[in-house]
Amino acid sequence: MATFIVLLGPPGVGKGTQAKILAETTKLAHVSSGDLFRENLKNQTELGRLAKSFMDKGELVPDDVTISMIRDRITRSDCGAGAILDGFPRTPIQADALEKMLAEFNGEVKAVPFITAPESTLVERASGRWTCREQGHIYHQIFSPPKKIGICDMDGSDLYQRDDDKVEMVTKRIRVYLEQTMPLVEYYRKAGKLLEIDGTQAVEQVTKELLSALYK
Ligand code: AMP
């Protein structure tokens, strides 16, 4: 059975960083809905243009287009054994759609690590974040700077600051998260899948706790 791990948590908590590490460790694919939207934006697809109008406001892209984008992505062969889902699902409708999709392909949500941190930490992290243009590797100007300013250590591509990582936008995204995504915490807790992780700790410590919670 294909194994899917859903990473849940507010914007700026470190989901993307942990998802990349987890994907390397578990050899599962890393599927980030935000990265997929940004890729569509870069390639100027119709989906990219539609998504941009919501992303620019810090709002969620409508469920139907988001669900069909993820469906296309997780039916690709690299997700045959499963995937680390980063940023999806973000609403109860998306979570229900995921259950239905996985039932079709003989997959299951195995666990849902829920990474938390206070709002001040989230704003500080997101507003200092630099993202690699090529593959989405993540840096922080103070906590994890690249070796060379503006250049990704991993693939040498440019680093840029996401428009939606400006302080006011991060605050708006946190509000959207509290209203629309928080209900998923209870959804997955009831299903016995929620693993709570303290995201204020150093990256390595969060990874360690994630791995031991997943494989205990
Ligand atoms: P992220 O990179 O996960 O912070 O996502 C960036 C933006 O992409 C979000 O603020 C939303 O506008 C959009 N987005 C990402 N994932 C989803 C999702 N599952 N549902 C709706 N919109 C999403």
Side-chain angles (χ1 to χ4, degrees):
M1 181 170 280
T3 298
F4 287 79
I5 294 168
V6 170
L7 282 185
L8 204 57
V13 81
K15 291 191 301 296
T17 301
Q18 295 298 333
K20 279 194 182 298
I21 301 172
L22 269 187
E24 274 166 30
T25 316
T26 59
K27 305 286 176 230
L28 294 174
H30 173 202
V31 172
S32 155
S33 46
D35 284 354
L36 290 170
F37 283 130
R38 282 183 287 276
E39 209 174 288
N40 274 279
L41 239 148
K42 193 164 91 180
N43 297 332
Q44 301 187 351
T45 66
E46 202 178 314
L47 173 61
R49 272 190 288 277
L50 172 84
K52 183 173 168 24
S53 57
F54 295 93
M55 293 168 83
D56 282 350
K57 288 184 281 184
E59 291 171 5
L60 296 186
V61 179
D63 284 329
D64 54 347
V65 281
T66 305
I67 290 165
S68 80
M69 175 181 78
I70 292 292
R71 168 180 267 280
D72 286 351
R73 178 65 190 87
I74 65 176
T75 44
R76 292 209 325 234
S77 59
D78 65 332
C79 293
I84 310 294
L85 299 183
D86 161 16
F88 181 91
R90 249 173 161 104
T91 64
I93 289 177
Q94 293 180 13
D96 285 338
L98 177 65
E99 290 299 314
K100 290 203 185 89
M101 269 184 239
L102 295 186
E104 261 177 65
F105 335 128
N106 194 28
E108 65 161 356
V109 172
K110 181 176 173 240
V112 182
F114 171 42
I115 314 177
T116 55
E119 184 161 339
S120 55
T121 307
L122 303 174
V123 174
E124 184 181 42
R125 288 202 185 153
S127 59
R129 169 158 63 187
W130 286 85
T131 304
C132 137
R133 216 174 272 288
E134 212 47 59
Q135 294 186 62
H137 295 116
I138 298 163
Y139 299 85
H140 188 280
Q141 61 192 23
I142 298 163
F143 309 128
S144 53
K147 292 196 182 86
K148 216 167 142 193
I149 293 175
I151 306 286
C152 177
D153 293 349
M154 319 281 272
D155 60 28
S157 70
D158 286 348
L159 300 180
Y160 74 105
Q161 205 166 15
R162 283 169 44 180
D163 287 339
D164 61 355
D165 277 345
K166 309 250 156 68
V167 174
E168 323 75 67
M169 284 294 275
V170 176
T171 312
K172 166 90 182 276
R173 285 162 60 214
I174 293 170
R175 210 165 62 234
V176 167
Y177 161 82
L178 291 173
E179 283 165 11
Q180 303 194 46
T181 309
M182 270 304 270
L184 292 188
V185 172
E186 281 318 305
Y187 180 103
Y188 286 118
R189 200 197 303 277
K190 276 198 195 120
K193 295 185 173 167
L194 203 75
L195 308 169
E196 293 192 50
I197 310 279
D198 173 6
T200 60
Q201 310 172 93
V203 172
E204 300 73 27
Q205 186 60 24
V206 174
T207 306
K208 207 169 140 195
E209 292 193 10
L210 261 174
L211 290 172
S212 69
L214 283 171
Y215 297 105
K216 69 170 183 267

